[in-house]
Amino acid sequence: MPNNQTHNAPLQDNEKMQKFFSCQPYFVQESIMQTGVGASSETELHQCAENLTKKNYNQE
């Protein structure tokens, strides 16, 4: 099983990505951390958060 800290290194190293991540709803943050999604750029992080948010709203 991959180490989430290593897998999420770009998030830890990029202040803009950290700021965006911290502004996301809790369920988005948890989903990203638990699944180990490796967003290596701001664009990937935005897409991941957007997809998670869309899925949540479609379930309601």
Side-chain angles (χ1 to χ4, degrees):
M1 179 177 234
N3 180 343
N4 282 350
Q5 285 185 326
T6 303
H7 205 63
N8 292 321
L11 178 60
Q12 295 170 351
D13 296 337
N14 184 312
E15 191 174 322
K16 286 176 76 175
M17 287 175 70
Q18 287 176 357
K19 193 171 194 173
F20 175 79
F21 180 80
S22 67
C23 292
Q24 297 307 300
Y26 180 75
F27 77 90
V28 172
Q29 293 180 27
E30 279 298 304
S31 295
I32 290 172
M33 295 305 290
Q34 288 181 8
T35 60
V37 172
S40 60
S41 69
E42 289 179 59
T43 301
E44 288 179 7
L45 183 59
H46 282 262
Q47 289 172 338
C48 181
E50 184 177 312
N51 287 336
L52 288 166
T53 304
K54 283 180 185 177
K55 286 180 185 178
N56 187 57
Y57 287 128
N58 287 337
Q59 291 177 357
E60 293 178 352

